[in-house]
Amino acid sequence: MRPSQQVDGHDPHAGEGVVTKVSPWSVADTVSRLSALVTAKGLRLFAVIDQSREAKDVGLELRDTTLVIFGSPQAGTPVMVAAPLAALDLPLKALVWADGDQTKISYTAPSTLAARYDLSDELADRLAGIDAVTDAVIAG
């Protein structure tokens, strides 16, 4: 089964290699929890982009959608040294978005990134932390 088609809170309509989890909180609260957790874990919070607000600023409508960009230069740099094009996907990104009455958090599966850039197990492990981070964000 593709990671995007997992059950237990994963969205079967997401793109291939995308993991989607359901958050029990609003988009704003989920973004706040993610940002706080990233900082607490000593990771870098590079950017929080409120895409729905940007759309509104130009007269367009978009469901509540925020992109959170975070990571660790210490963990990600060796990945980019080994596979320079991995910089297209790093730092890590999590999309927090409204899907009807649900809030979801989606990101590219670490296994997908590892396969895309033919990373060794050691380098792939540097990307796997996003699973635990997102699990902690949505935990009650």
Side-chain angles (χ1 to χ4, degrees), residues 17-84:
V18 173
V19 176
T20 295
K21 300 173 182 178
V22 175
S23 172
W25 292 281
S26 68
V27 169
D29 288 346
T30 302
V31 168
S32 179
R33 289 174 62 89
L34 177 56
S35 299
L37 184 62
V38 162
T39 302
K41 289 193 168 288
L43 301 171
R44 292 273 305 264
L45 182 62
F46 292 104
V48 176
I49 303 168
D50 185 338
Q51 294 172 318
S52 49
R53 185 183 66 224
E54 295 299 327
K56 185 177 181 180
D57 287 350
V58 296
L60 300 173
E61 285 189 38
L62 177 64
R63 70 180 81 210
D64 204 358
T65 305
T66 301
L67 183 67
V68 181
I69 303 171
F70 64 96
S72 164
Q74 188 173 22
T77 300
V79 172
M80 292 183 283
V81 167

Side-chain angles (χ1 to χ4, degrees), residues 76-86 117-120 123:
T77 300
V79 172
M80 292 183 283
V81 167
L85 293 180
Y117 300 109
D118 195 25
L119 300 178
S120 67
L123 291 174

